[in-house]
Amino acid sequence: MSVGGSLDQQWVRVSGRLKEEVGETAYRSWLKPLTIGELKGGEVRITVPTRFMRDWVQTHYADRIRAIWSGENPRVQSVDIVVAQARLDVGASANDDADIVESPMPSDEIEEERPTSGAQLGIDGRDEHFAHLDPRFTFENFVVGKPNELAHAAARRVTDAATVTFNPLFLYGGVGLGKTHLMHAIAWQIRKKDPNRRVLYLSAEKFMYQFIRALRFKDTMAFKEQFRSVDVLMIDDVQFISGKDSTQEEFFHTFNALVDQNRQVVISADKSPSDLEGMEERLRSRLGWGLVADIHPTTYELRLGILQAKAESMNVQINSKVLEFLAHKITSNVRELEGALNRIVAHAELVGRAITLESTQEVLHDLLRANDRRVTIDEIQKKVAEHYNIRLADMHSARRARAVARPRQVAMYLAKQLTARSLPEIGRKFGGRDHTTVMHAVRKVEELKTSDQSFAEDVELLRRMLEG
Ligand code: ADP
Ligand code: MG
């Protein structure tokens, strides 16, 4: 008998622990598909379906898997992650040259979004299609950092695969974090690499609009045909069709038809598939089948990197102190960050003076104040932990003792009250907890506030300190 049951039984426990650490979404994308092989000479063999997955699991989870597992079973000293035999032909994402792109459907046209006349979507000259894509939204102009590295890697993967590795690719994240940029980048890159692959990009809103037109002109056959003949279909902001039942129905069929034919589908939304309210259950679950990649809120490093790249592309010299100041102060999203930079550059040109820290503060006066008032979840966790004299780490830990669980609930409650973060986002910041846990915490705190006067005062005090 080995320690703690069979390897499979050990894996159930190891992966359970990992799930707590990384959260449900990451678990489902990366850890659930792993197959456990044998233990030989202290090494556990783990099989994954694709090379892309192997690289990702290797760099992001292998150390944790090994560490937790050897805690379970000291005989486990290392893990070896290998690609399942049948899929070895998928191609390495790290080396572009190694991928021979084979167009699955040779064709002399490329499809893109274009304004429609009548119900027809039309397949026309590619330049007209591409006229609707922002030429600045390329991979070259996309700055990669921790918060977006998965989404970026996956988007790249879509462009260099002749084989569909995951379907759909579902990108989600808050406003202004780069979803549309990545989708346009995919289209540009595919055009560059293989103009024969037919790409169609459009917003969910346009999809609906065209669908309704087709219905009106009794031309749904043509509508269906157009969508179903593409190699890559990208639908941006799919949350838009929440609650729009017949559009969802049509989208669901289009989606299935493409996936069945092994065509790549890329979707973006502001929420994860499971959090898309007003979406039919079968569609939500179907959307989560492929790779779900979330773009997290920006970090200071990423913001600074974006500012530097942007200043360079605008060909302006800006003191690094000014860029650091902006990266520090404007934390909402990349769109606002770019807007701020544009404003200070425009102002400097207009008044003919150099950009300084003072002029920046002056020009961005309103923007800086709006960003100032935002409290972050990190700050809330820190303050609450200090107040109740617990360790900051307990905000993320799985410990359930009341002495730490209650303050954690208070912090979740304040995060809901004082930030614009959604329940799943909050859950993620608290050690990858589920959104229902956050919801429960919010209710619990509200309940206690009405029944326990001193508790209510405590929470009020914390709130004032954080807002002040
Ligand atoms: P979303 O579709 O997620 O709301 P967008 O893709 O429209 O966001 O991005 C908003 C702006 O921020 C765009 O101008 C985009 O070029 C820029 N942007 C976002 N992320 C990055 C990044 N990582 N590097 C460079 N620019 C970015
Ligand atoms: Mg967008």
Side-chain angles (χ1 to χ4, degrees), residues 137 141-143 148 174-181 306 334-335 338:
F137 289 2
N141 291 338
F142 191 81
V143 181
N148 58 29
V175 183
L177 296 182
K179 300 181 296 293
T180 299
H181 188 137
I306 290 172
V334 183
R335 193 171 293 142
E338 285 186 334

Side-chain angles (χ1 to χ4, degrees), residues 299-350:
T299 57
Y300 171 77
E301 291 75 24
L302 179 60
R303 291 194 294 274
L304 189 60
I306 290 172
L307 286 169
Q308 284 163 345
K310 181 94 182 150
E312 196 173 305
S313 78
M314 290 164 86
N315 229 340
V316 287
Q317 288 285 338
I318 301 178
N319 189 312
S320 62
K321 281 276 162 290
V322 171
L323 295 185
E324 283 162 22
F325 174 78
L326 289 179
H328 185 67
K329 287 287 185 183
I330 301 182
T331 53
S332 43
N333 66 49
V334 183
R335 193 171 293 142
E336 230 172 68
L337 196 63
E338 285 186 334
L341 186 64
N342 287 336
R343 260 166 74 182
I344 61 168
V345 170
H347 180 266
E349 275 170 10
L350 213 59

Side-chain angles (χ1 to χ4, degrees), residues 110-124:
I110 189 154
E111 282 202 339
E112 237 306 335
E113 180 189 1
R114 59 170 297 229
T116 48
S117 52
Q120 284 280 34
L121 243 180
I123 308 172
D124 240 37

